[in-house]
Amino acid sequence: MIGPPPANSNDFQRPRSPIVAVAVSFAVGICLETWWPVSLLSWWVVLTAAWVGWLIAFRRRRTAAAWLLCFACVAAGGLRQHWFLTITTADNIALFARETPQPVRLTGTVTSQPVVIPRKKHAFPSTIPEYDRTLCEIDCQTLLSGDTATTTSGTVRLQITGHTPHIGVGDEVEIVGLLSQPVGRRNPGGFDFRDYLHSQGIDAMLRTDYPDAVQTIKPAGRWWQPLRFAADIREECSDVLTANLSPGNAPVAAALLLGDRRDVTDDQRNAFAQSGTMHFLALSGLHVGILATLLWGICRLFRFPAAWTTVVILSCLIGYTFINEARLPVIRATVMAAVILIGQPWHRRARLGNSLALAALVLLLWNPAQLFEVGPQLSFLAVVAIVALMRLKTETAANLQEEEQYEPQELRSERFEQFRRWAHAPLHRIGDALLITAGIWLIVAPLIAARFHMVSPVGLVINVLLMPLVIVVLWCGYALLFCGLLLPPLAPVFGYLFDSGLSLFLAIVDSAQRLSWGHQHVPGPADWWLLGFYVLLVAAIFGGPRLGVRRWGARGLLCWCVLGLAVAVIPHNKPQLRCTFFSVGHGSAILVELPNGRTLLYDAGQLHDAGRTERIIENGAWELGIARLDAVVLSHADVDHFNAVPGLLDKLPVDGVYVSPSLLDTRQPAVAALCDAIFDSDIPLHSLGTDDQLLLDDDVNIRVLVPAGDVRGGSDNANSLVLAIEYRERVILLTGDLEGEGLLALFATPSLDVDILASPHHGSLAANTLDLAAWCRPRWVIASGGRQSPTAALREIYGPGATVLSTWTSGAVTVTIDDTGKIDVKEFVK
């Protein structure tokens, strides 16, 4: 009788990947030190004890030895993270930096090639002129502050207004500028620039507005020549792309081939993000893999031996990494390629899981902060998805082969003929591409939703269609760089091919981005759900069959997803009113959450960068679980109060925009651009005047105090729309830039006992008068301004009964009024 053998003899033999356990243990140690830090001595004790125990148990108790080795790796990871976060020298430049910039004279060595950041082109004119900036890093040597000269160490990021062609990497320079600490996180859901720079090994910021304030003391020595050579090659590559490509394609080509995204426009970035193809624009392991495939094909064409093929590919990849300033995704991919290729001459195949783990271990040893950065996380998750899908495919194929072996011959022949008829090689490749793309999309989608608040279903389709085109386009791009540097007569040929392919590629991306169903902005899951999802996913994919880890992991993953959906759809409205004054510099953005769950945004803008305010508001809203805005109220026609609105309309659904009559003067170009953006988005635009009310919540009275609906005279500031928000006998007064005639009109209305006053005109003393203080008698005064907010003078005006806060020093200020009328005021920056 023919039948399958016993189940226990058919178990699929899983490959052993010991480096995976080492890398995971090292990462666990980094997490433990980050979330529950301990002393340096404690980590040394654990590490020593684990190593000693491993040496004792190695020969007799292999299982115990393996666990002790993992504990040793955990301790090593914690030790490395502790050293990275807390160990600094006594003369580190960070100890001399303050939040308020201080004038200093610093000498040091330029350790990165200066790069020029072009000034941004804004849709709205800025009242403050902007210029190109030059950025580089300086390894500090001496610091002169006042009359005191100090030997110092550490690294600063130097920002120079303008261009500095007279300095280069390796030069010893002297700079006169302003030294300061990097700005930390100041808003809910905001970006922590200080932590980011620290993860890059940068301790402080140094800024100067004059290129001549940077002088070369000593030119670079011979040890710096390789870095200067790499910078020169990179510059020549950029010139080759500029000379052979159309102006619109050259910036994207520089991003694809050189990782230089300085000149990529915001519209192009949005197109890649919304079409789910951002991984093509960011230089990553995908690009290195495509380059390695091209090199392998060339070596096969010329019949190179396996050893020479390995040497050629690794040499080119190392050179490519060097030219691209050793970017971490390129290093990861190069390490993986090295592990896989080195064994080829001896016909030894490297496990992909081991290769990935070794690459992760190298990066974490170099910079443990990479564990918490979204770029490396997405990169490794994509490779993990490929590894998992390849393993599942191999297991499935093995099981099918076993089943066919014990079937009758006639059934096996019939199945084989049917399989051969339908499953030709092209369909196999398409199926594999679809499977891998879908797997990667499903695995990385929760992380993208959590960090970028976007889901792009169109990416499932477009990535499969684009992959063959991207491979050919990048091959033409690499050929263009090679010929442009070494064989200039052939450069126009590959330039034409590359430019044409890139134009088609960008057209497809742009078309995918325009699809109404292609992308959706979402608040994203919480970190606790994200952690549970990936733990259960790993158990479901890589868990062993003996203990049922895979089965229980799959069941747990399903339940976890259902739990996440339930948490997302269950209403979380609390009987309270919450008002968040975002820290946007010199500008205004105030988000009001009503007890019934509806929302109101009062103003959205700043003087410098509208995109920055847009990101602050949308990230803050998503962090607070807000997915739409029921009303946007704009106080008046100054760009620092509305220039972020057009960008927000693309990210958050808005039910209506409400403005004062004076803002409808479309003779002002910025106002005309704002109205065009509102009309293009099919959002109703309403005008408000005195005694008008916004009926958003039955328990909250939102009414307009000034200006009158028929008033259009005076300045824009004088016509600011003032809102009084009343809940449980508490009053929040939002004033815009009210001053002059507008203040007199406000004083003509009945006075109010105001609990929270948004200081008019960002705390300007001309708008914050003694008459205003007497008219409203506020308990808290919140000034949304820049570094120069006159908080001390405001305290004198409003008296000892008022608490004056500035969003510059306090970060976002959140005011909560519960259903009993109790007020709670919290500062984001303590």
Side-chain angles (χ1 to χ4, degrees), residues 27 42 49 111 211 216 315 338 470 513 520 553 561 599 639 672 690 725 738 781 800:
S42 299
T111 56
T216 301
S315 300
V470 168
Q513 178 245 350
Q520 182 67 42
C561 291
T599 56
V639 293
T690 302
I725 303 175
L738 190 70
V781 178

Side-chain angles (χ1 to χ4, degrees), residues 261-347:
R261 291 188 286 176
R262 290 175 293 168
D263 295 323
V264 178
T265 65
D266 289 340
D267 290 339
Q268 289 173 328
R269 293 173 190 263
N270 289 334
F272 278 96
Q274 294 172 0
S275 63
T277 56
M278 194 65 182
H279 54 282
F280 290 136
L281 186 64
L283 188 64
S284 64
L286 172 67
H287 302 71
V288 176
I290 292 174
L291 175 58
T293 304
L294 174 64
L295 296 170
W296 179 83
I298 293 173
C299 292
R300 288 292 301 270
L301 179 65
F302 289 98
R303 299 182 180 276
F304 283 10
W308 278 106
T309 299
T310 299
V311 171
V312 169
I313 295 177
L314 286 182
S315 300
C316 292
L317 292 185
I318 292 172
Y320 186 64
T321 304
F322 187 61
I323 291 174
N324 282 288
E325 299 179 302
R327 299 176 188 271
L328 291 174
V330 181
I331 293 176
R332 176 192 59 76
T334 302
V335 171
M336 287 188 62
V339 174
I340 293 172
L341 289 170
I342 286 175
Q344 295 300 315
W346 296 274
H347 305 286

Side-chain angles (χ1 to χ4, degrees), residues 588-747:
S588 176
I590 303 170
L591 181 62
V592 181
E593 302 168 72
L594 303 175
N596 65 355
R598 305 187 77 180
T599 56
L600 179 151
L601 178 65
Y602 182 87
D603 284 344
Q606 65 161 247
L607 279 181
H608 295 281
D609 185 0
R612 179 173 175 270
T613 301
E614 174 194 331
R615 291 188 294 273
I616 288 173
I617 296 172
E618 65 190 39
N619 288 331
W622 286 322
E623 180 74 11
L624 298 172
I626 297 171
R628 69 182 302 109
L629 298 173
D630 295 285
V632 173
V633 179
L634 304 179
S635 61
H636 64 295
D638 280 354
V639 293
D640 59 325
H641 289 254
F642 68 77
N643 58 8
V645 171
L648 284 174
L649 299 181
D650 294 332
K651 305 293 178 62
L652 293 170
V654 176
D655 288 344
V657 178
Y658 301 82
V659 300
S660 65
S662 63
L663 193 141
L664 296 175
D665 183 4
T666 55
R667 291 174 297 178
Q668 302 181 58
V671 172
L674 170 68
C675 293
D676 288 342
I678 295 173
F679 294 146
D680 290 342
S681 300
D682 293 326
I683 296 174
L685 180 63
H686 309 277
S687 175
L688 292 177
T690 302
D691 294 331
D692 285 342
Q693 290 186 319
L694 289 176
L695 304 177
L696 299 177
D697 191 318
D698 293 338
D699 294 330
V700 182
N701 183 22
I702 306 174
R703 58 191 178 96
V704 179
L705 300 185
V706 293
D710 57 351
V711 173
R712 290 177 181 264
S715 66
D716 289 329
N717 288 351
N719 288 319
S720 290
L721 191 152
V722 176
L723 278 188
I725 303 175
E726 299 169 306
Y727 177 64
R728 296 293 188 261
E729 300 182 354
R730 301 296 184 182
V731 179
I732 299 175
L733 193 65
L734 308 180
T735 58
D737 279 355
L738 190 70
E739 61 183 8
E741 298 174 5
L743 279 175
L744 297 178
L746 181 66
F747 297 155

Side-chain angles (χ1 to χ4, degrees), residues 540-561:
I541 294 177
F542 298 102
R546 294 183 178 178
L547 299 178
V549 175
R550 173 180 291 186
R551 182 174 66 255
W552 286 106
R555 294 174 179 175
L557 184 63
L558 178 62
C559 295
W560 195 254
C561 291

Side-chain angles (χ1 to χ4, degrees), residues 20 28 32 126 174 196 242 247 315 478 501 504 525 559 695 745 813 819:
V20 173
V28 168
L32 290 175
S126 175
E174 182 181 76
Y196 168 75
T242 302
S315 300
Y478 294 130
L504 176 60
C559 295
L695 304 177
V813 178
D819 58 348

Side-chain angles (χ1 to χ4, degrees), residues 180-448:
S180 63
Q181 291 180 355
V183 177
R185 181 165 16 193
R186 313 183 69 84
N187 293 283
F191 178 64
D192 196 328
F193 188 57
R194 182 180 300 170
D195 279 357
Y196 168 75
L197 289 185
H198 184 66
S199 70
Q200 306 300 312
I202 298 173
D203 304 297
M205 294 282 295
L206 185 62
R207 181 176 61 84
T208 179
D209 293 331
Y210 307 100
D212 291 339
V214 182
Q215 297 294 327
T216 301
I217 301 174
K218 181 180 177 182
R222 66 177 63 182
W223 294 107
W224 292 98
Q225 293 308 313
L227 289 179
R228 300 196 77 137
F229 176 74
D232 293 340
I233 293 294
R234 192 162 54 250
E235 191 66 28
E236 290 184 21
C237 290
S238 297
D239 293 340
V240 168
L241 296 176
T242 302
N244 291 277
L245 302 178
S246 57
N249 288 349
V252 178
L256 289 172
L257 301 176
L258 304 174
D260 183 2
R261 291 188 286 176
R262 290 175 293 168
D263 295 323
V264 178
T265 65
D266 289 340
D267 290 339
Q268 289 173 328
R269 293 173 190 263
N270 289 334
F272 278 96
Q274 294 172 0
S275 63
T277 56
M278 194 65 182
H279 54 282
F280 290 136
L281 186 64
L283 188 64
S284 64
L286 172 67
H287 302 71
V288 176
I290 292 174
L291 175 58
T293 304
L294 174 64
L295 296 170
W296 179 83
I298 293 173
C299 292
R300 288 292 301 270
L301 179 65
F302 289 98
R303 299 182 180 276
F304 283 10
W308 278 106
T309 299
T310 299
V311 171
V312 169
I313 295 177
L314 286 182
S315 300
C316 292
L317 292 185
I318 292 172
Y320 186 64
T321 304
F322 187 61
I323 291 174
N324 282 288
E325 299 179 302
R327 299 176 188 271
L328 291 174
V330 181
I331 293 176
R332 176 192 59 76
T334 302
V335 171
M336 287 188 62
V339 174
I340 293 172
L341 289 170
I342 286 175
Q344 295 300 315
W346 296 274
H347 305 286
R348 297 181 64 88
R349 297 184 59 187
R351 300 292 182 187
L352 195 55
N354 270 336
S355 304
L356 178 65
L358 181 60
L361 195 59
V362 170
L363 292 186
L364 293 179
L365 282 168
W366 184 2
N367 187 346
Q370 293 299 307
L371 182 63
F372 305 104
E373 302 230 351
V374 65
Q377 289 172 355
L378 288 172
S379 182
F380 277 100
L381 277 177
V383 180
V384 167
I386 295 173
V387 174
L389 290 170
M390 291 178 63
R391 174 172 290 186
L392 290 175
K393 181 181 177 182
T394 303
E395 292 182 10
T396 303
N399 291 333
L400 289 175
Q401 186 177 5
E402 288 288 343
E403 290 178 4
E404 290 180 0
Q405 181 179 355
Y406 295 98
E407 288 184 357
Q409 182 66 32
E410 58 274 9
L411 293 180
R412 190 168 70 237
S413 300
E414 181 181 350
R415 179 176 295 184
F416 176 78
E417 290 298 326
Q418 185 180 5
F419 179 83
R420 191 181 65 163
R421 188 181 308 117
W422 292 101
H424 296 292
L427 293 181
H428 270 301
R429 294 189 180 93
I430 294 174
D432 289 345
L434 286 170
L435 180 65
I436 291 175
T437 301
I440 293 175
W441 188 89
L442 289 171
I443 288 177
V444 304
L447 182 60
I448 292 177

